[in-house]
Amino acid sequence: MSQVTGLSCVSCGKVHPPEGMTYVCAACGGNLDVVYDYATISRKLTRAALAAEDDFSAWRYWDLLPLEDRSHIMPLQIGWTPLYRAERLGRSLGLKKVFLKDDGRNPSASFKDRASSVAIAKALELGFKVIAGASTGNAASSTANLSASLGLSPTIFVPEAAPKAKIAQLLVFGARVFAVRGTYDEAFDLCTKACAEYGWYNRNTGLNPYTREGKKTVSFEICEQLGWEVPDTVLVPVGDGNIISGVWKGFQDLLRVGLTDRTPRLIAVQSEKSSAIVDAVNGDGRIRPVSATTVADSISVDLPRDGEAGVRAVRESGGSGVLVSDEDILRAIVTLARGAGVFAEPAGATAWAGLEKLARAGKISPDETVVFLVTGNGLKDVASAMKVAGAPIPMDPDLDAFKSYLDRQGA
């Protein structure tokens, strides 16, 4: 049985019963957070129990997930992605212990599979027939990918300008795709209205409290993969705020059940061209909409849908926010590829760009244990990578021409 005791509003604190599907607080419209019976869970979910667990996926943390029916688990590898020691990258910044969590290794090649896995399983548990969602691409392709593995076809709304690779994923997995002539925020609003009109399950980030529950599993993995050492600092690329609020909840859950004895500080990293949450973190805490135009489409958001929880996560952790330029983000794609062998999409490279900026400013201690998240694979957005990767050398199929080129280059 699930150990969920209720759904608590992140704005006003009102607690709602866990039965059925409640999206937002009936009292104030705020986002909801799943509350657990941590005392009961702590007696079951121990380090010894996890050491004996042979399911190396996000489902190994079942006791801290809001689900009761295991029959809706999709037959794909969700989570337990690699945590690499990025020694060469660390040395370039004078840092001794830097780790890269490569979530581009999930089935749809993005972090969003953590959220979709739990949200879809919950939808099926509750008996919904149609699952819908809006996205700039990754949440949508994740929903389509995982749904396809269960024989389902979701309804997806994306902005018309979403990268073609992500649109291709949606279509090949059999989703019904609506390319909205507008922004992500407009696609989000249309999806929300359609779900209300037709009684569909709304998977949308922020509105759906169960997406955060999937995302928090990355924190469980980080600590377990580090031998239960809690990192000092974790850098997270931020758009809607739902990933960083999930990361924070994960570290808090571990503390509450006694698996760890402290939490890390979180650094929210955003593009200067999509800065609503960092602006709030570094300002008065209030989320104000921006006109987002960043090349990092996965974190390009005008009005963050889980912004309040995202800001709270950073502040409660004792962390901060940092803005980086789109140029820094694109350069980070190359740096990660050549320094760690990991190909990241722009949003996936954003956390590294933030770490570079902070380390060069002396705001990261050389002795800290630092983890940064790579949230999506570079094949999601090849066009952006090609802006900084360089170009192939044109060459006739002739050995003399090849030798002549090498001679001219002194190679």
Side-chain angles (χ1 to χ4, degrees):
M1 289 290 292
S2 167
Q3 298 298 330
V4 174
T5 62
L7 299 169
S8 176
C9 177
V10 301
S11 297
C12 72
K14 180 178 174 61
V15 178
H16 300 261
E19 292 78 22
M21 184 65 216
T22 304
Y23 291 104
V24 296
C25 178
C28 73
N31 289 353
L32 299 176
D33 189 36
V34 181
V35 181
Y36 295 85
D37 179 355
Y38 291 106
T40 298
I41 295 170
S42 67
R43 293 193 288 271
K44 299 170 60 181
L45 191 65
T46 64
R47 291 188 184 185
L50 286 168
E53 176 60 68
D54 60 3
D55 179 2
F56 288 96
S57 75
W59 305 117
R60 69 192 277 106
Y61 309 108
W62 182 264
D63 293 313
L64 276 170
L65 294 176
L67 302 169
E68 297 182 11
D69 189 348
R70 288 180 179 264
S71 68
H72 301 309
I73 293 176
M74 49 284 309
L76 297 171
Q77 172 70 35
I78 311 295
W80 205 254
T81 55
L83 181 71
Y84 298 124
R85 180 80 177 261
E87 293 190 41
R88 287 199 295 135
L89 290 177
R91 282 199 304 271
S92 73
L93 299 177
L95 305 179
K96 298 176 183 177
K97 291 189 290 184
V98 174
F99 294 86
L100 181 164
K101 183 66 167 163
D102 184 10
D103 254 49
R105 297 284 293 275
N106 276 304
S108 77
S110 97
F111 184 100
K112 301 298 177 63
D113 290 343
R114 296 182 183 275
S116 295
S117 63
V118 173
I120 291 170
K122 192 65 180 179
L124 298 178
E125 193 173 277
L126 293 171
F128 281 90
K129 303 301 182 185
V130 178
I131 298 171
S135 166
T136 56
N138 279 340
S141 57
S142 170
T143 301
N145 181 183
L146 303 193
S147 293
S149 76
L150 296 170
L152 305 172
S153 177
T155 296
I156 300 297
F157 299 82
V158 296
E160 196 173 39
K164 287 184 171 55
K166 296 177 182 180
I167 298 295
Q169 278 189 299
L170 292 170
L171 296 172
V172 78
F173 287 128
R176 179 169 59 167
V177 182
F178 293 93
V180 178
R181 298 186 186 96
T183 65
Y184 160 66
D185 297 81
E186 290 171 316
F188 184 106
D189 291 340
L190 177 58
C191 176
T192 300
K193 292 173 184 175
C195 287
E197 178 73 18
Y198 296 104
W200 297 342
Y201 181 81
N202 191 337
R203 178 253 183 262
N204 280 351
T205 295
L207 275 181
N208 190 314
Y210 300 109
T211 59
R212 188 184 295 115
E213 300 308 298
K215 291 178 181 181
K216 73 183 184 182
T217 59
V218 74
S219 304
F220 302 163
E221 292 174 21
I222 287 169
C223 288
E224 192 173 1
Q225 289 171 326
L226 286 174
W228 297 111
E229 175 191 355
V230 178
D232 298 300
T233 300
V234 179
L235 294 101
V236 183
V238 173
D240 261 319
N242 196 236
I243 292 181
I244 201 162
S245 68
V247 168
W248 180 234
K249 184 167 188 183
F251 286 117
Q252 287 183 305
D253 278 2
L254 293 179
L255 185 65
R256 286 168 176 150
V257 299
L259 285 169
T260 58
D261 59 4
R262 66 184 184 90
T263 55
R265 67 167 174 157
L266 302 186
I267 306 295
V269 189
Q270 288 195 294
S271 167
E272 294 169 347
K273 296 183 177 180
S274 181
S275 61
I277 287 180
V278 171
D279 289 346
V281 167
N282 295 339
D284 62 6
R286 291 181 56 197
I287 296 290
R288 296 175 176 84
V290 298
S291 180
T293 58
T294 176
V295 68
D297 68 283
S298 297
I299 54 173
S300 186
V301 179
D302 292 350
L303 179 63
R305 304 295 174 157
D306 205 23
E308 183 178 355
V311 171
R312 181 177 300 176
V314 177
R315 290 188 160 184
E316 286 182 356
S317 76
S320 61
V322 61
L323 297 177
V324 294
S325 69
D326 273 12
E327 292 73 22
D328 290 337
I329 291 171
L330 292 175
R331 282 194 296 269
I333 294 173
V334 174
T335 302
L336 289 176
R338 298 174 187 177
V342 172
F343 186 17
E345 68 168 325
T350 297
W352 170 255
L355 178 54
E356 278 191 308
K357 184 171 182 177
L358 291 176
R360 298 194 192 286
K363 295 182 180 179
I364 302 286
S365 167
D367 296 319
E368 286 186 51
T369 297
V370 180
V371 176
F372 67 96
L373 304 187
V374 172
T375 51
N377 188 275
L379 292 175
K380 294 272 193 173
D381 189 355
V382 173
S384 290
M386 289 301 291
K387 293 176 182 177
V388 287
I393 302 164
M395 180 62 56
D396 292 329
D398 178 83
L399 180 59
D400 288 335
F402 178 70
K403 290 168 66 177
S404 176
Y405 173 83
L406 294 185
D407 288 343
R408 290 196 303 273
Q409 299 300 312

